[in-house]
Structure formats: C-alpha cells, structure tokens
Amino acid sequence: MEIKVVQNILKANDALAAANRKQFRDKGVFVIDLMSSPGAGKTTLLEKTAERLAGEIAFGVIEGDLATAADAERIGAYQIPVLQINTGKGCHLDANQVQNALQYFDLDSLDLLFIENVGNLVCPAEFDLGQHTKVLLLSTPEGDDKPDKYPVMFRQCPTVIINKVDLTPYVPFNLDKVRASIRRIQPEGRILELSCQTGQGLDAWIELVRQETKRFKAELQASAS
Ligand code: MG
Ligand code: ZN
C-alpha cells in the first residue's frame, strides 16, 4: 500500500511538471535544475554566472532551501529576479512549489531560469520540476565515491560539474576515478571541471549556458514556423 501512495504522489507531480514545462515553452524560457549536496557551490556558481551573463541573457533564479533567504539575498545583489522557497522539513523541491513560485516572475521578460534545488543527492532526482535539463555539481571535498554511491542522480544529469578542482592537492579526490565513474553511469554525459574561487574552467560553463539557451530558442522558433 505504501508503494502505491508514493507512486500516486509522483504521478501527481509529473502532471504538474508537464504543465510547468508547457508554460516555460509558451513563454520561451529555458529552465535548468541545478542540484548537488549542501555546500558544493550551487549559489556561488550562480553568482559567477550572474557576473558574466547578467547583461547578456535575461535570467531569473528560484532558490530552494529548508530555511533562510540567504541564497536569494546573494543572488538579488546582482539585480536578478529571484525568489526563495523555504521547504521547512522538505528535502527537495516539487513541481507544485515551482508552479507557485512562477507568479512572482515576469516570464515574458526572461530567457532563462535556474532552479537551485535543495542540497541533496537523493530525492531531487525523483521529482520532475518541468525543467529542460539538469546540472549536477560535485565538489572535490565531498569525496570521489559519490557517483558510485548516488548513481540515480548522476544518471539523470547530462551535465556534471566537478567544482573546487583547486582543492584537489589537499583532499583525497581522484579525478581520473571520478571521470571514469561518471562515464560508466552516463556514457553520453558531459563533464566540466572548474573552480568558482579561481575562475579556472568557468569559461566553458558560461559558454555552455549561452549555447544551450540559444539552442532552445532556435528549436522553439523552428517548431513555430
Ligand atoms: Mg545554495
Ligand atoms: Zn526529498
């Protein structure tokens, strides 16, 4: 019986996620669900993205955390539309929370929306939010065993960012092992290696965001004509 209940919740979530996806498409907004463990650097990556892209691509951010508006305040400092969702005890965002958040954005004026999920490598993988793609951050201090321990999450994310590569001399993290693990779980996936602190590798991330947003817009135009 318990399994049936869980399946029903996921089914309801999937229906709401589909509605979100349709709304994003209608408004021409490309949506990226950004996930990681707590402390891997999601908000910092978004700050760096804002520094580089704010004048070029109109984007907004939904922040998911159990408590505080700390991350929304950090993003808001860049004059970017941002909304904080506090989930209380909830360990992931769901499609309904995202739907409710959308009324606070002028979607017509946005080309891109980042959803920073609650820091957690487990259940955010189960809840479709209506995003177009998922990006996973893994930071080197977390250890090189994470892809093998959390394969469901890694399998769902076509882009994996290894962050804090500047710390590899100080932490036990074998980059070759991690690359091999990720490729084994998702052979088609893309791996970016960067450091938000030193700026190393950030160019590739910025270019990826730029190209993926452009490609989404082009696909929309092609299907409309
Ligand atoms: Mg954060
Ligand atoms: Zn959860």
Side-chain angles (χ1 to χ4, degrees), residues 35-156:
M35 298 182 285
S36 77
S37 307
K42 296 185 296 303
T43 313
T44 304
L45 181 70
L46 291 177
E47 288 179 307
K48 299 296 169 189
T49 307
E51 280 174 18
R52 308 262 194 121
L53 283 181
E56 181 186 327
I57 298 176
F59 73 92
V61 176
I62 292 175
E63 287 287 347
D65 278 298
L66 273 68
T68 83
D71 285 359
E73 284 165 14
R74 286 169 61 186
I75 299 300
Y78 293 86
Q79 316 301 325
I80 284 168
V82 59
L83 182 88
Q84 179 80 51
I85 297 174
N86 280 157
T87 57
K89 291 179 180 172
C91 46
H92 58 267
L93 291 178
D94 63 35
N96 186 48
Q97 290 167 324
V98 170
Q99 175 58 237
N100 289 334
L102 295 182
Q103 62 185 298
Y104 298 98
F105 290 91
D106 175 14
L107 291 181
D108 288 319
S109 71
L110 294 185
D111 296 317
L112 171 65
L113 178 67
F114 285 102
I115 302 172
E116 184 186 327
N117 217 313
V118 177
N120 178 351
L121 287 181
V122 186
C123 46
E126 298 293 327
F127 288 82
D128 186 1
L129 304 178
Q131 75 289 325
H132 301 104
T133 192
K134 296 180 176 184
V135 173
L136 178 60
L137 253 84
L138 170 66
S139 64
T140 57
E142 292 170 60
D144 53 22
D145 54 357
K146 293 303 168 289
D148 293 330
K149 284 187 172 176
Y150 300 91
V152 177
M153 178 64 89
F154 279 80
R155 195 170 295 124
Q156 288 205 355

